[in-house]
Amino acid sequence: MPISEAESVVMDVLWRSSPLAAEDIVAATAEAQGWQEATVKTLLNRLLGKKAIAAERDGRRYLYRPLLRRGDYVHATSKSLLDRLFDGRVAPLVAHFSERRKLTKKDIAELRALIEELDDDR
């Protein structure tokens, strides 16, 4: 299920803590996004329609919780990016960042450790 960038902000809030009321999500996004309650409620309704979240009545308000797991979202989004831009391959992605000098020494060390770990597992 495709989640827009704005919807992913709401999902991030819910993945960190849930269930939450719309006003809690507004408070969590207000400073960085400047969203009003109406904007958050629109995003919540879109996410409900996509079945990415669920809502439960709590008195006069609704509490929202994620149905879509963060790991599943990250997997689908990263796979889509790799497929669209790099023919499904990781090496060209890493090469792209390397060519643009976007890899720090720490990134390179982490990549080396990951490759060694992958080699050890085979």
Side-chain angles (χ1 to χ4, degrees):
M1 94 187 52
I3 301 291
S4 73
E5 189 173 333
E7 292 165 347
S8 74
V9 171
V10 172
M11 292 299 297
D12 281 335
V13 171
L14 291 171
W15 284 321
R16 283 194 301 270
S17 176
S18 65
L20 293 174
E23 57 266 18
D24 299 323
I25 300 167
V26 171
T29 60
E31 187 175 323
Q33 304 298 323
W35 291 340
Q36 301 297 317
E37 188 170 356
T39 302
V40 170
K41 286 187 175 180
T42 297
L43 293 169
L44 289 168
N45 282 325
R46 287 183 193 164
L47 290 165
L48 284 166
K50 294 177 179 184
K51 300 201 182 328
I53 63 172
E56 181 179 315
R57 196 156 188 65
D58 181 45
R60 296 184 56 189
R61 65 183 186 166
Y62 285 94
L63 296 177
Y64 300 91
R65 64 180 174 80
L67 295 175
L68 175 63
R69 294 184 332 205
R70 187 176 192 289
D72 293 339
Y73 169 72
V74 169
H75 175 76
T77 303
S78 59
K79 183 176 180 336
S80 174
L81 174 77
L82 278 176
D83 289 346
R84 271 193 340 258
L85 301 178
F86 300 100
D87 201 25
R89 297 182 52 234
V90 174
L93 170 72
V94 175
H96 167 77
F97 286 112
S98 175
E99 291 165 2
R100 306 268 181 308
R101 304 275 188 232
K102 297 293 182 187
L103 294 176
T104 65
K105 288 183 180 192
K106 181 180 178 187
D107 291 331
I108 293 167
E110 289 174 356
L111 285 169
R112 280 191 180 121
L114 177 60
I115 290 168
E116 286 178 21
E117 183 180 317
L118 290 170
D119 280 343
D120 289 346
D121 288 346
R122 290 177 192 231

